[in-house]
């Protein structure tokens, strides 16, 4: 008989009367070719011309009992197996099983000694071979049952494994939920203006006025339409830079939205040392340092304000939020380019998870619409040259995108340990379920075109959330409308999620808010889960064919129901990648 390389040992032909219990047996050349083998468990003479064999598949199954002519030639493997180790198992009747999410069904071709078990897992009412592949097509309950009968006839053992019961064990990290939201953006003051503007497809990008911008090659930006200083008590506003003013106003809105007293921690019945602040910022407010330098050169050292240094540092936003609400637990600042706001939120999630604080205000704030910053971005050829018109100058994923639009603002979440929130009867928007970081290690400004670093951050966020790729129902993309950046992100999303997940990008509405982008886009992602509605991407009138994603455009779209996880992406110059994972709550 022919040798099959898929059999663990080369077979050799013998008469059926020569086999003994433990032999690995193939009954024909076709069985050898198809890797169909059995282990002999018992032999006995039947007549002078026949012999009775009892044999079982080598990976377990039902016994076969047959009578053969003594002169029959069969194939034997050289190894002999211990028959006591081969289980006798039967397939389950899947028609009689009531399925639940978390159940597994396995199929094993038990006659093939080298076969691997094929598992299917039920998630969101459908069956997946791999919960972390975005490219596969799942099966329905009916399709899975339909496949099982022919598999059993072809010597597969099909088994149903009910979802495992939870057992008591070591204390797990605490779940973190979102109970408050706050924002100041180019669409207006407050979360309500942000959400309405996104759903209505409004654009907050404006012409920059003032003689300091007059000579710039690009004079459009996403600016907040009100002076934040006018919304704060004058003595406080004078000691804050513009970025810190944004931060305090957005953080206070999130604080009030969560049901706390605007006066601060103690007035809200909270221990100040159990509350934290985590803010992302790249520069904070570059205009303070620029203004101080101008006064120094024009009028000398005495003209420079003593507040110049404390109002220049990026950490001023975090310190001013802690001052405004008397938060003493911690006041952290994260600086990782345009991923700063997202990473600040992720760090706050971990601080709550592991018991350092019980709740935290986390987000991003930035105010870098200044002549020098605008001129620098223009010199890099990073800014869009599209004029303000019928569609946004910022055109994420569009065929005619040509760069980002600089912007400013702030976005904050009030994050809270779930048991803390439930104990006080708080309204919960969703769970802040996980986050992921990575670095491209590719270039000081350009993204890695393969998207491999972005893909790693996406997978880590899903894993950190204790979830699977099939759970993802939406992505709020970073999508700055730069040619290379959008392509790299799209490449990563296709590699990790496939094309099935609806994607939206908000920089057509807002511009790129730099360190604040992650905070504001996290607010929008939370609202998407809470309301079950995905805002449209504006500026993408004709999608670039190379993007090849399901980009939501023109009007809002209902959130899919087969899943519960939404991702919010932020990627920054230098290869900083950060992704947040939010989970819909019942």
């Amino acid at each position: 008989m022919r040798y099959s390389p898929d059999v663990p040992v080369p077979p050799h032909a013998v008469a059926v009367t020569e086999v003994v219990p433990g032999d690995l047996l193939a009954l024909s050349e076709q069985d050898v070719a198809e890797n169909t083998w059995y282990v002999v468990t018992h032999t006995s003479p039947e007549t002078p011309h026949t012999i009775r064999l009892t044999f079982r598949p080598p990976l377990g199954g039902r016994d076969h009992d047959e009578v053969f002519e003594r002169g029959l030639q069969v194939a034997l493997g050289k190894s002999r197996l211990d028959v006591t180790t081969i289980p006798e198992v039967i397939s389950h009747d899947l028609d009689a099983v009531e399925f639940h999410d978390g159940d597994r069904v396995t199929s094993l071709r038990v006659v093939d000694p080298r076969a691997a078990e094929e598992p299917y897992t039920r998630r969101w009412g459908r069956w997946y071979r791999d919960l972390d592949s975005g490219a596969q097509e799942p099966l329905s309950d009916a399709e899975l049952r339909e496949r099982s009968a022919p598999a059993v006839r072809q010597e597969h053992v099909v088994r149903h494994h009910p979802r495992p019961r939870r057992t008591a064990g070591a204390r797990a990290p605490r779940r973190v939920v979102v109970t408050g939201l706050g924002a100041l953006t180019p669409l207006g003051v407050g979360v309500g203006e942000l959400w309405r503007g996104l759903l209505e497809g409004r654009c907050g990008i404006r012409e920059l006025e003032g003689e300091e911008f007059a000579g710039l090659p690009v004079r459009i930006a996403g600016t907040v339409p009100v002076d934040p200083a006018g919304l704060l008590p004058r003595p406080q506003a004078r000691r804050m830079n513009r970025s810190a003013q944004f931060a305090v106003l957005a953080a206070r809105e999130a604080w009030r939205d969560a049901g706390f007293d605007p006066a601060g921690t103690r007035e809200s019945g909270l221990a100040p040392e159990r509350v934290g602040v985590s803010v992302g910022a790249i520069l904070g407010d570059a205009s303070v340092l620029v203004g101080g330098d101008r006064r120094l050169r024009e009028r000398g050292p005495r003209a420079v304000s003593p507040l110049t240094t404390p109002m220049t540092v990026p950490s001023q936003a975090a310190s001013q939020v802690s001052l405004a609400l008397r938060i003493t637990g911690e006041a952290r600042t994260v600086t990782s380019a345009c991923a700063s706001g997202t990473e600040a939120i992720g760090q706050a999630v971990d601080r709550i998870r592991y018991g350092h604080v019980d709740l935290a205000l986390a987000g991003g704030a930035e105010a870098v619409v200044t002549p020098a910053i605008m001129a620098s971005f223009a010199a890099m050829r990073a800014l869009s040259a599209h004029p303000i018109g019928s569609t946004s100058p910022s055109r994420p994923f569009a065929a005619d995108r040509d760069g980002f639009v600089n912007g400013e603002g702030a976005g904050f979440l009030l994050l809270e340990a779930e048991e803390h929130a439930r104990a006080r009867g708080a309204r919960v928007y969703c769970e802040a379920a996980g986050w992921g970081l990575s670095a491209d290690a590719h270039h000081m400004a350009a993204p890695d075109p393969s998207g491999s670093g972005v893909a790693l951050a996406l997978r880590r966020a899903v894993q950190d959330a204790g979830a699977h790729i099939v759970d993802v129902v939406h992505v709020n993309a970073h999508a700055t409308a730069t040619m290379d950046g959008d392509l790299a992100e799209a490449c990563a999303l296709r590699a990790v999620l496939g094309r099935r997940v609806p994607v939206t990008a908000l920089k057509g509405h807002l511009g790129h808010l730099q360190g604040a982008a992650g905070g504001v886009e996290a607010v929008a992602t939370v609202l998407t889960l809470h309301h079950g509605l995905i805002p449209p991407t504006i500026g993408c009138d004709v999608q670039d064919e190379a993007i090849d994603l399901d980009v939501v455009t023109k009007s809002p779209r209902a959130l899919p129901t087969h899943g519960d996880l939404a991702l919010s992406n932020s990627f920054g110059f230098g290869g900083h990648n950060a992704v947040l994972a939010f989970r819909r709550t019942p």
Side-chain angles (χ1 to χ4, degrees):
M1 289 191 176
R2 294 191 304 269
Y3 166 65
S4 170
D6 294 326
V7 179
V9 291
H12 61 282
V14 299
V16 70
T17 53
E18 297 180 53
V19 303
V20 296
D23 281 347
L24 191 64
L25 172 77
L27 298 176
S28 67
E29 285 195 13
Q30 182 177 352
D31 282 355
V32 173
E34 295 177 352
N35 287 325
T36 301
W37 295 82
Y38 299 94
V39 178
V40 178
T41 59
H42 185 70
T43 67
S44 63
E46 185 74 7
T47 71
H49 304 291
T50 60
I51 187 170
R52 180 179 294 276
L53 297 186
T54 303
F55 47 91
R56 184 180 299 174
L59 300 184
R62 284 182 165 176
D63 283 345
H64 298 254
D65 193 85
E66 293 188 31
V67 176
F68 299 98
E69 293 290 331
R70 287 178 173 266
L72 178 70
Q73 292 283 300
V74 295
L76 242 58
K78 288 186 178 178
S79 296
R80 185 164 292 164
L81 304 182
D82 182 355
V83 295
T84 63
T85 64
I86 302 172
E88 184 175 7
V89 292
I90 61 173
S91 293
H92 291 156
D93 179 8
L94 298 188
D95 289 336
V97 174
E98 181 181 355
F99 293 137
H100 301 91
D101 274 9
D103 288 359
R104 292 173 65 249
V105 167
T106 57
S107 177
L108 178 63
R109 188 170 182 264
V110 289
V111 293
D112 181 355
R114 291 186 173 180
E117 193 171 63
E118 297 180 0
Y120 284 84
T121 305
R122 195 174 191 266
R123 194 85 165 176
W124 307 107
R126 298 181 291 183
W127 293 90
Y128 293 87
R129 278 291 305 275
D130 182 355
L131 292 174
D132 291 310
S133 169
Q136 64 181 308
E137 287 296 324
L139 301 177
S140 67
D141 289 349
E143 288 170 329
L144 187 75
R145 288 187 171 107
E146 192 175 306
R147 287 190 179 194
S148 70
V152 171
R153 290 194 294 271
Q154 294 167 10
E155 294 281 14
H156 286 67
V157 169
V158 177
R159 307 276 291 174
H160 170 252
H161 308 271
R163 59 186 174 187
R165 294 183 178 180
R166 293 183 178 179
T167 57
R171 179 176 174 82
R174 299 190 296 181
R175 291 182 73 207
V176 181
V177 295
V178 181
T179 57
L181 303 173
L184 261 80
T185 74
L187 290 174
V189 176
V191 169
E193 283 298 305
L194 169 66
W195 187 238
R196 281 189 294 273
L198 295 178
L199 295 182
E200 292 168 3
R202 284 194 273 118
C203 178
I205 296 169
R206 300 170 177 81
E207 293 280 354
L208 292 173
E209 300 176 353
E211 61 179 86
E212 69 270 27
F213 297 107
L216 297 180
V218 177
R219 294 185 296 278
I220 59 170
T223 54
V224 174
V226 300
D227 180 2
L231 304 177
L232 292 164
R234 182 174 173 80
Q236 291 181 24
R238 289 182 64 252
R239 293 178 174 271
M240 300 183 203
N241 63 33
R242 186 175 174 87
S243 173
Q245 292 167 359
F246 289 153
V248 168
L249 290 167
R252 278 181 169 171
E253 182 186 14
W255 186 260
R256 292 192 304 270
D257 187 45
F260 293 123
D261 191 314
T265 50
R266 293 201 182 279
E267 292 81 358
S268 302
L270 299 171
E273 67 275 10
R274 299 299 301 167
V275 185
V277 179
S278 183
V279 182
I282 303 174
L283 297 174
D285 184 350
S287 66
V288 177
L289 185 60
V290 172
D293 183 68
R294 183 185 299 116
R295 283 188 290 273
L296 174 66
R297 286 185 283 107
E298 292 176 353
R299 293 155 47 192
R302 292 187 178 182
V304 178
S305 168
L307 296 176
T308 300
T309 298
M311 289 177 62
T312 296
V313 293
S315 60
Q316 213 220 10
S319 67
Q320 288 293 335
V321 171
S322 70
L323 277 168
L325 296 168
R326 297 294 185 266
I327 293 169
T328 63
E330 54 190 40
R332 306 162 64 85
T333 301
V334 176
T335 300
S336 51
C338 306
S340 299
T342 295
E343 186 175 343
I345 294 171
Q347 289 196 13
V349 168
D350 276 354
R351 300 300 287 175
I352 297 170
R353 272 178 171 173
Y354 299 107
H356 299 286
V357 292
D358 296 322
L359 59 158
L361 282 161
E366 203 80 76
V368 290
V369 183
T370 66
I373 297 296
M374 294 291 294
S376 173
F377 282 144
M380 293 173 65
R381 298 186 179 180
L383 295 180
S384 172
H386 289 304
I388 295 174
S390 58
T391 191
S392 173
S394 176
R395 301 177 181 180
F397 296 135
D400 61 346
R401 68 190 184 279
D402 67 343
F404 70 84
V405 173
N406 194 22
E408 64 178 9
F412 275 77
L413 310 181
L414 194 291
L415 301 171
E416 195 167 350
E418 184 184 36
E419 63 264 32
H420 190 280
R422 300 294 185 193
R424 67 182 185 87
R427 178 267 327 278
V428 172
Y429 283 105
C430 66
E431 179 188 356
W435 65 301
L437 292 177
S438 71
D440 281 353
H442 174 73
H443 188 270
M444 68 178 293
D448 181 344
S450 73
S452 59
V454 172
L456 178 59
L458 289 165
R459 292 190 180 98
R460 283 177 168 172
V462 173
Q463 183 180 23
D464 191 50
H468 299 280
I469 295 300
V470 300
D471 300 328
V472 179
V473 291
H474 171 56
V475 176
N476 190 307
H478 183 63
T480 59
T482 58
M483 186 60 68
D484 293 342
D486 286 12
L487 284 173
E489 183 174 10
C491 183
L493 289 173
R494 290 195 307 271
V496 176
L497 304 174
R499 295 187 67 257
R500 64 180 182 83
V501 177
V503 175
T504 196
L506 306 183
K507 291 181 175 66
H509 303 79
L510 305 167
H512 185 359
L513 308 189
Q514 307 300 323
V520 171
E521 289 162 11
V523 170
T525 306
V526 168
L527 290 170
T528 294
L529 280 178
H530 184 65
H531 294 293
L533 205 56
I534 303 171
T537 302
I538 68 169
C540 186
D541 294 344
V542 179
Q543 184 175 322
D544 182 354
E545 291 183 1
I547 295 299
D548 197 23
L549 295 173
D550 180 15
V551 180
V552 178
T553 59
K554 297 184 174 62
S555 60
R557 185 193 299 182
L559 196 67
T561 57
H562 292 293
D564 62 355
L565 211 67
L567 306 179
S568 182
N569 295 347
S570 292
F571 315 121
F573 281 170
H576 300 278
N577 304 311
V579 178
L580 293 168
F582 296 100
R583 178 175 285 117
R584 178 165 40 195
T585 50

